[in-house]
Structures are given as structure tokens and as C-alpha cells.
């Protein structure tokens, strides 16, 4: 019975992704590829974390982002992807032409989305205005992963959850480390 529900859910998700394929046009395709590439290996978010880490007044925020990204990679890419072992939509329907290279790792959860949300929530915890901008970028990046036919909607949702949890966990660690450091002084 569970398999029937899974197949029904997967069909609904595939139908949604196929509907997104109707949006494709040369301009939007370039924009989506450019935005998704910002999340490749988390380089944009790592760079933001490093820049913030270098400035004294944003050092804690930069450390928070970098720690959240590390937690996200471990939780999402090292642990959950292999545990769940979900096939990507592009593997299930190879006839859909991709605009990016076919990813070789499993689909759930979306690592791009997890990293983007981890960084965005980390920024939001210190600066609401910039955090909201980062959250908008994270949502757009999540959408690109579906538009580009490499993730199911539930993969993206899972990435949002893992990214949020990663940022919260990083905040707990930083808070404990900060308290311990202030007690030693």
C-alpha cells in the first residue's frame, strides 16, 4: 500500500515538473542556469561566509554561515542522500533534455537548496533585511532545481528543512561556544 502512495506522489511531482518544462524559453533558461550555478559546491555562500568572517563586526555571522554550511553538507550530502537513495527526475525521464550536466548523486534532499537556506537563515538571525534578500535568493534557487528537472518538489522541501535545521544547529553551537569563551575570560 505504501508503494502505491509513493508512486502516486511521484506521479504528481513528475506532472508538476513536466508542467514547468512548458515555461522554458532561451532567456529564462539562461537565467535559471546562472542562478543554479551560484549554488554549485556552495561557492557563493562560502564566499559570503568568508567575507563576513574577515570583518570584525560580522565575524560571528560569517562563522555561523560557514558552520551551517558544514552541518548542511554532512546532514544532506553525506548522510541523507545515500540513506534515502532517491532517483532524480532526470534519471527517470532521460528523454527530457537538461540544460546542465546530469548530477551523479541522489536527489533527496536538494543540496543546493539546503546550502542556500542554511546561509539565508544564518544571515536572517543577525540581519533581517539581508536575511530576507538571501531567503528570496534561496527560494529562487530552489525553484531552479525543479525548473532544470534535477529535483522533485519534495527534494526541495527537504533541502529547505535541512538548511533551516543546519542554521539553527550552528546557532546553538555558536551560542554555547560564545558562552564558554566569555566564562573563560
Amino acid at each position: 500500500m505504501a508503494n502505491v502512495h509513493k508512486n502516486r506522489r511521484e506521479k504528481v511531482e513528475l506532472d508538476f515538473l513536466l508542467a514547468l518544462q512548458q515555461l522554458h524559453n532561451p532567456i529564462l533558461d539562461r537565467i535559471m542556469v546562472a542562478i543554479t550555478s551560484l549554488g554549485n559546491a556552495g561557492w557563493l555562500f562560502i564566499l559570503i561566509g568568508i567575507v563576513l568572517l574577515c570583518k570584525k563586526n560580522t565575524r560571528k555571522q560569517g562563522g555561523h554561515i560557514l558552520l551551517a554550511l558544514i552541518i548542511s553538507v554532512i546532514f544532506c550530502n553525506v548522510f541523507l542522500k545515500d540513506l534515502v537513495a532517491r532517483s532524480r527526475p532526470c534519471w527517470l525521464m532521460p528523454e527530457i533534455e537538461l540544460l546542465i550536466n546530469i548530477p551523479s548523486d541522489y536527489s533527496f534532499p536538494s543540496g543546493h537548496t539546503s546550502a542556500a537556506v542554511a546561509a539565508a537563515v544564518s544571515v536572517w538571525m543577525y540581519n533581517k533585511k539581508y536575511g530576507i534578500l538571501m531567503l528570496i535568493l534561496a527560494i529562487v534557487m530552489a525553484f531552479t532545481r525543479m525548473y532544470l528537472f534535477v529535483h522533485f518538489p519534495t527534494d526541495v522541501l527537504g533541502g529547505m528543512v535541512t538548511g533551516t535545521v543546519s542554521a539553527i544547529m550552528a546557532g546553538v553551537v555558536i551560542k554555547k561556544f560564545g558562552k564558554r569563551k566569555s566564562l573563560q575570560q
Side-chain angles (χ1 to χ4, degrees):
M1 185 72 159
N3 207 17
V4 171
H5 291 296
K6 179 183 174 191
N7 290 339
R8 197 173 305 153
R9 178 186 45 86
E10 194 170 89
K11 182 185 178 334
V12 168
E13 290 191 78
L14 273 172
D15 287 345
F16 174 75
L17 295 177
L18 290 170
L20 287 181
Q21 298 306 297
Q22 305 308 309
L23 300 175
H24 281 259
N25 66 66
I27 294 169
L28 196 53
D29 288 354
R30 282 193 186 108
I31 292 169
M32 295 296 178
V33 169
I35 292 170
T36 213
S37 69
L38 294 174
N40 291 350
W43 71 266
L44 173 66
F45 310 113
I46 293 168
L47 182 63
I48 291 169
I50 290 170
V51 167
L52 292 173
L53 194 63
C54 291
K55 295 172 69 179
K56 188 173 185 174
N57 63 330
T58 59
R59 189 164 289 144
K60 191 174 179 181
Q61 185 177 357
H64 192 145
I65 291 169
L66 295 173
L67 182 57
L69 290 172
I70 290 167
I71 294 168
S72 172
V73 164
I74 292 168
F75 192 42
C76 181
N77 295 65
V78 174
F79 180 67
L80 282 176
K81 280 190 185 265
D82 287 335
L83 179 69
V84 175
R86 184 180 197 187
S87 295
R88 290 179 179 269
C90 58
W91 298 353
L92 299 175
M93 298 185 74
E95 65 274 15
I96 302 293
E97 188 177 333
L98 294 188
L99 301 172
I100 59 173
N101 293 330
I102 298 172
S104 59
D105 60 342
Y106 290 114
S107 191
F108 183 89
S110 167
H112 277 70
T113 304
S114 184
V117 170
V121 170
S122 296
V123 169
W124 183 82
M125 290 173 153
Y126 296 85
N127 184 313
K128 304 292 187 242
K129 183 172 82 172
Y130 290 123
I132 288 171
L133 292 175
M134 291 281 294
L135 285 167
I136 291 168
L137 173 61
I139 290 166
V140 172
M141 184 169 292
F143 179 77
T144 70
R145 305 307 288 166
M146 295 181 292
Y147 178 92
L148 295 169
F149 209 70
V150 293
H151 280 293
F152 290 101
T154 50
D155 300 337
V156 166
L157 182 61
M160 289 176 174
V161 170
T162 58
T164 301
V165 168
S166 298
I168 292 168
M169 288 174 66
V172 168
V173 169
I174 287 170
K175 195 177 221 178
K176 283 190 178 202
F177 179 75
K179 282 183 182 178
R180 187 174 292 158
K181 188 176 176 183
S182 65
L183 289 174
Q184 292 174 350
Q185 292 178 349

